[in-house]
Amino acid sequence: MPKIYTDSSLEAITGEFSRPDVHIGASEHESPFVPFIENVYIRHLAFDVRNGAFANILWVKKGGKLGRHRHRGPVFACTLEGSWRYLEYDWVAGPGSYVRENPGAIHTLVSDDPNGMKAFFYLNASLEFYDDQDNLLETLDVFWYINHYVSYCRENGLEINQKLWI
């Protein structure tokens, strides 16, 4: 016979059925910056396989550029350090700037800042990279990002942080 809950308060139900809150500290011991491409690193913070979403800190060192790409879902970003921009737009995101990207547009992220940039990104759905002739080069989804993180940890003898999975 199924258990009948006599205490149906929100606190009791939440305490029993929700996932625990998670804290990922600033130390790279909890999540390292993983090399992505030249002058670009990713610090993975969350993987949500049920919704195809992932969160990270993108670190582009000075003179760094993330290739031309298109998002298949919405993206939310907040600049933490330095500045960055898209070649296709006329704005520059500096510390504290918030950026919301809608699916579909192709753009190229660059950092001209002499100190580079770091920004928090929350992405939904896949990310597609294109060459200058609009040929699809690679599609990155939540499973690609998981592999990126796990492979790096295994190759470098680092513990895989299970708290990164939502």
Side-chain angles (χ1 to χ4, degrees), residues 53-73:
F54 40 100
N56 60 51
I57 296 174
L58 183 70
W59 177 18
V60 179
K61 293 188 174 184
K62 67 177 183 174
K65 176 180 173 181
L66 190 63
R68 294 179 70 237
H69 62 277
R70 174 195 328 260
H71 299 281
R72 289 296 180 178

Side-chain angles (χ1 to χ4, degrees), residues 48-89:
D48 182 352
V49 297
R50 283 179 247 174
N51 293 302
F54 40 100
N56 60 51
I57 296 174
L58 183 70
W59 177 18
V60 179
K61 293 188 174 184
K62 67 177 183 174
K65 176 180 173 181
L66 190 63
R68 294 179 70 237
H69 62 277
R70 174 195 328 260
H71 299 281
R72 289 296 180 178
V75 176
F76 308 94
C78 183
T79 306
L80 306 172
E81 298 175 8
S83 63
W84 60 279
R85 63 190 176 90
Y86 285 126
L87 294 178
E88 297 79 7
Y89 304 137

Side-chain angles (χ1 to χ4, degrees), residues 9-81:
S9 72
L10 182 57
E11 183 177 352
I13 296 298
T14 302
E16 185 167 352
F17 295 105
S18 71
R19 304 263 326 234
D21 290 345
V22 171
H23 171 262
I24 307 296
S27 167
E28 284 195 58
H29 175 73
E30 294 192 51
S31 179
F33 276 100
V34 180
F36 180 57
I37 58 174
E38 185 180 352
N39 286 336
V40 179
Y41 299 81
I42 299 171
R43 182 170 190 235
H44 301 282
L45 299 174
F47 306 116
D48 182 352
V49 297
R50 283 179 247 174
N51 293 302
F54 40 100
N56 60 51
I57 296 174
L58 183 70
W59 177 18
V60 179
K61 293 188 174 184
K62 67 177 183 174
K65 176 180 173 181
L66 190 63
R68 294 179 70 237
H69 62 277
R70 174 195 328 260
H71 299 281
R72 289 296 180 178
V75 176
F76 308 94
C78 183
T79 306
L80 306 172
E81 298 175 8

Side-chain angles (χ1 to χ4, degrees), residues 2 4-5 16 22 27 29 48-49 67 69 77-78 90-91 97 99 106 110 122 144 160:
I4 303 298
Y5 292 92
E16 185 167 352
V22 171
S27 167
H29 175 73
D48 182 352
V49 297
H69 62 277
C78 183
D90 62 359
W91 51 262
S97 292
V99 176
I106 293 180
V110 297
Y122 185 85
W144 185 96
I160 293 170

Side-chain angles (χ1 to χ4, degrees), residues 71-142:
H71 299 281
R72 289 296 180 178
V75 176
F76 308 94
C78 183
T79 306
L80 306 172
E81 298 175 8
S83 63
W84 60 279
R85 63 190 176 90
Y86 285 126
L87 294 178
E88 297 79 7
Y89 304 137
D90 62 359
W91 51 262
V92 175
S97 292
Y98 170 76
V99 176
R100 187 192 75 238
E101 301 177 28
N102 294 310
I106 293 180
H107 43 237
T108 311
L109 186 151
V110 297
S111 178
D112 304 316
D113 192 304
N115 298 313
M117 64 74 87
K118 287 183 182 171
F120 170 81
F121 282 89
Y122 185 85
L123 302 96
N124 290 279
S126 64
L127 177 65
E128 301 169 339
F129 282 89
Y130 292 87
D131 66 15
D132 291 335
Q133 290 73 43
D134 288 332
N135 296 307
L136 179 63
L137 300 173
E138 187 171 23
T139 301
L140 284 55
D141 62 9
V142 67

